[in-house]
Amino acid sequence: MTAPPPGQRATPPLAGGPDGPTALRPLLDTVLDALTTGAHDRGGPLPAGGPDTVTARVHAALGDTGVLPAHGTGAHEALRTLVHALAAGAADPADPLCAAHLHCPPLAVAVAADLAASALNPSLDSWDQAPAASTVEALLTRTLAAEFYDTPHADALVTTGGTEANQLAVLLARERHGPALTVLHGANAHHSVPRAAWLLGLPTATELPTPTGTLDPARLAEALATTPGPTLVTATAGTTDAGLIDPIHPIADLCDRYGADLHIDAAYGGLLALSPRHRDRLAGLGRARSLTIDLHKLGWQPVAAGLLAVPDTALLAPLAHQADYLNATDDTEAGLPDLLGRSLRTTRRPDALKIATTLRALGRDGLAALIDSTIDTAHHLARLLDAHPGFELHAPPTLTTVLFRPTHADDDHLATLRRTLLHQGRAVLGRTHADGRLWLKATLLNPHTTAGDLDTLISLLEGSTHR
């Protein structure tokens, strides 16, 4: 870099262009060092001390100058300070004892690809901002949609996750059927489904009881028989609370009989389609009018990495939109791809790049191996808990979620136990209600978790429950 004239401040380097990698390389060394020291200082799955302590540590790290000092501290100091604070105060899903949520540890190859996306900063709202990225996205979406739909023109949209995909599914159904559309969903459905109906001005969604954890076809038949007008049924393939899968074929049969549209939220379980061992659990998934898939769950991607898949790209036509500065009619007629109808967002990151890189790096068999091993780990934990006199297992896992509770604990003690582990920084476990009781939830998404790690978790819980 040429030195600036005396008295003139140097312009900070950019991440792109021919000189971008040279500028990035030393900064990345600082980031990686700070990630390492921060993880060492944390010393476990999350920082000890609870919210007030973590907040105080971040404030102390930043000092009196905070995040906007009068005079900059320089790139290396800023990165060293803030990345260290972030890592030291993280709930790190790469730690085997961080197992509360559908919050996966991302693969290194996906994170590396995401760095390239950030450096080049394509925006997928017009071709002239993302020439190659738009092609990568088109290849990815059609490839993945074909895993679920055996149709000539299957397609998918890249979304920020399951919530956006579910909202788009409800929107597309509304555009097909009008504002009188009724959304039917089980009590096991993700909260974004009824919220989408509210957001789009539809009648209040109808919730059907799911006492066994999955949508009962008999209850659905009764609801369809008594619901006037157009209906969208939403089923779930991998519930948030327990990882359960609704009976897809019977639900699809009822939708056919009553002329209802079917959307399946397979954000959690959808990638089982890549596993020869487990794909039969998703039999019938391709009968849905739309599917939610989320690769920042059982796909090991950094947030965000969602999809809405459909059997025919024509179903996405209602999203078409025209803004002259992005997709002028004459540009489109001249052959420039029209990207604006691929999302309700305008500026859009090339999240397809990290997904496509991962798929190419691991291949179908590599991803299947990760899925299979993670499910095997969940079953191993379930067997350990079931055989242990100090714990009660709710049920064998369907995917990678294991519900359990200390044998003699009441709900208040269980909630306190979970919070105690959080405040001590020793383990991150989720919580959910089932069968009228509160349960601890271990959501296993780390393919590096070992049998020894599970033994450590149980030993930790044994010691905590005896206090």
Side-chain angles (χ1 to χ4, degrees):
M1 181 188 300
T2 303
Q8 183 175 325
R9 184 186 298 271
T11 302
L14 302 176
D19 298 327
T22 301
L24 276 172
R25 197 174 303 278
L27 297 177
L28 293 181
D29 286 340
T30 299
V31 167
L32 296 175
D33 287 345
L35 286 172
T36 301
T37 59
H40 181 269
D41 284 359
R42 186 182 67 244
L46 80 166
D52 291 342
T53 299
V54 173
T55 298
R57 288 173 184 157
V58 173
H59 281 290
L62 291 171
D64 294 337
T65 56
V67 295
L68 186 60
H71 303 287
T73 62
H76 289 279
E77 188 283 334
L79 285 167
R80 189 163 48 246
T81 299
L82 279 162
V83 174
H84 179 99
L86 184 71
D92 186 357
D95 190 296
L97 299 186
C98 187
H101 301 287
L102 287 166
H103 174 206
C104 74
L107 294 168
V109 66
V111 173
D114 219 22
L115 169 65
S118 292
L120 294 168
N121 209 26
S123 181
L124 282 141
D125 49 315
S126 66
W127 183 86
D128 58 356
Q129 298 176 81
S134 61
T135 300
V136 170
E137 181 177 90
L139 286 168
L140 173 77
T141 52
R142 292 166 191 160
T143 297
L144 285 178
E147 294 295 322
F148 307 103
Y149 292 110
D150 186 17
T151 52
H153 303 293
D155 201 355
L157 303 176
V158 176
T159 71
T160 53
T163 293
E164 184 187 354
N166 286 339
Q167 289 172 347
L168 284 171
V170 176
L171 171 63
L172 291 171
R174 187 195 69 179
E175 294 305 290
R176 288 192 296 271
H177 299 292
L181 177 73
T182 297
V183 177
L184 291 178
H185 66 90
N188 63 345
H190 193 263
H191 63 85
S192 61
V193 172
R195 198 177 190 197
W198 163 78
L199 180 67
L200 294 167
L202 296 173
T204 301
T206 300
E207 180 182 295
L208 305 179
T210 53
T212 64
T214 56
L215 188 56
D216 179 10
R219 287 183 185 269
L220 178 60
E222 293 173 4
L224 286 169
T226 57
T227 300
T231 305
L232 173 68
V233 173
T234 66
T236 307
T239 60
T240 304
D241 283 343
L244 303 179
I245 297 173
D246 286 338
I248 297 172
H249 272 309
I251 291 171
D253 289 342
L254 287 170
C255 290
D256 289 346
R257 183 188 310 170
Y258 288 95
D261 282 1
L262 175 61
H263 169 67
I264 299 178
D265 178 356
Y268 184 5
L271 281 198
L272 263 64
L274 298 179
S275 166
R277 277 178 54 189
H278 296 291
R279 67 165 63 106
D280 287 349
R281 300 186 192 189
L282 300 179
L285 207 64
R287 299 177 66 183
R289 186 67 67 99
S290 55
L291 291 171
T292 289
I293 309 294
D294 199 342
L295 287 98
H296 55 246
K297 294 180 172 59
L298 275 176
W300 296 281
Q301 297 299 295
V303 174
L307 292 174
L308 178 73
V310 294
D312 195 303
T313 192
L315 291 168
L316 304 175
L319 299 178
H321 186 67
Q322 206 271 326
D324 199 54
Y325 76 105
L326 294 172
N327 59 347
T329 302
D330 58 319
D331 278 349
T332 303
E333 291 173 349
L336 294 185
D338 180 355
L339 305 181
L340 201 53
R342 303 292 297 177
S343 177
L344 292 181
R345 292 172 286 147
T346 303
T347 302
R348 226 167 25 89
R349 293 187 80 248
D351 288 316
L353 176 65
K354 62 195 175 193
I355 303 172
T357 302
T358 302
L359 297 183
R360 182 173 174 84
L362 273 66
R364 188 188 303 275
D365 58 345
L367 277 165
L370 288 181
I371 292 166
D372 293 349
S373 67
T374 308
I375 292 175
D376 287 346
T377 301
H379 279 274
H380 182 67
L381 175 60
R383 288 192 295 271
L384 291 176
L385 292 165
D386 196 33
H388 196 297
F391 297 98
E392 178 184 354
L393 177 70
H394 181 262
T398 299
L399 296 176
T400 67
T401 300
V402 182
L403 303 186
F404 65 99
R405 53 183 291 137
T407 305
H408 301 296
D410 60 24
D411 285 1
D412 288 341
H413 173 75
L414 189 114
T416 300
L417 167 63
R418 175 181 173 271
R419 287 191 294 270
T420 298
L421 293 172
L422 289 175
H423 276 263
Q424 293 173 344
R426 300 169 78 193
V428 191
L429 294 170
R431 54 179 284 173
T432 190
H433 281 89
D435 301 333
R437 293 192 292 169
L438 186 65
W439 298 80
L440 291 174
K441 178 173 69 168
T443 308
L444 301 180
L445 293 176
N446 187 340
H448 289 271
T449 299
T450 66
D453 294 324
L454 300 181
D455 290 338
T456 299
L457 175 61
I458 290 178
S459 297
L460 174 63
L461 287 165
E462 282 178 314
S464 298
T465 57
H466 293 159
R467 291 183 177 183

